[in-house]
Amino acid sequence: MQDFSDIVPGLLSPYQIAMTEDALTQPAPRVAALIVAAGRGLRAGGDIPKQYQRLGGEMVLTRTLRALASHPLIHDLVVVHHPDDSHLLAQALDPLGLPVITTHGGATRDASVRAGLNAVPDNADYVLIHDAARPMVSPQVIDDVIAALSTHPGAAPGLPVVDALWQG
């Protein structure tokens, strides 16, 4: 039998914690994901906002929602959208077949986030605020943010830049 006594235990993800015996005495947190999709995305170009443009044959927002909805601790999805984009939002939500709370955004990003926070169910322990145009969020990033929220009043992921967007 292999001896693992020299391994220093690392930070467990909330999902791993939920699977331990200690978690039987404390329920896993109820997490809501607030997806901000009210922006116009003009810098991205195209005829529609970037969150509704296609990536690999699917709307970016659909991919974002699927990534968040697949996490075992995320129970509620709240999408903040522009009032003019209701038809596009319906198209993005249709392939998912998931219950999603929707609300209209405001004139600024912070007004949109406030509108989304007002729509989050009262029983949410944590709220993850995520940009609709970021569909590649990993389960590990979600785990790490939720783990940080268990001991801090707020958390934001910091990821290294792996591609140069501009060359001088």
Side-chain angles (χ1 to χ4, degrees):
M1 177 176 280
Q2 194 167 3
D3 179 17
F4 293 104
S5 60
D6 62 331
I7 296 176
V8 177
L11 182 65
L12 294 177
S13 74
Y15 181 71
Q16 291 168 320
I17 292 169
M19 297 298 113
T20 65
E21 281 186 40
D22 292 339
L24 295 176
T25 60
Q26 293 193 358
R30 185 172 184 96
V31 180
L34 190 169
I35 300 91
V36 185
R40 307 317 295 147
L42 300 175
R43 289 179 297 153
D47 296 333
I48 59 174
K50 63 185 171 185
Q51 61 269 30
Y52 300 109
Q53 292 183 19
R54 301 240 170 227
L55 176 65
E58 189 170 54
M59 285 185 171
V60 170
L61 177 57
T62 304
R63 289 178 173 275
T64 300
L65 288 166
R66 185 175 287 116
L68 292 164
S70 68
H71 194 279
L73 292 180
I74 294 179
H75 298 281
D76 302 294
L77 298 171
V78 177
V79 176
V80 182
H81 66 98
H82 192 282
D84 293 344
D85 295 339
S86 295
H87 65 289
L88 293 168
L89 177 64
Q91 291 175 36
L93 296 178
D94 187 54
L96 297 171
L98 297 171
V100 177
I101 300 165
T102 64
T103 190
H104 291 160
T108 61
R109 182 175 179 84
D110 64 313
S112 293
V113 170
R114 277 193 201 109
L117 289 171
N118 288 332
V120 170
D122 290 336
N123 63 348
D125 297 308
Y126 304 136
V127 179
L128 306 181
I129 301 172
H130 191 76
D131 189 309
R134 306 286 180 258
M136 306 306 280
V137 62
S138 71
Q140 186 62 56
V141 167
I142 297 169
D143 282 345
D144 291 348
V145 171
I146 294 170
L149 288 173
S150 71
T151 57
H152 296 84
L159 303 173
V161 175
V162 294
D163 292 324
L165 303 176
W166 176 81
Q167 294 181 357

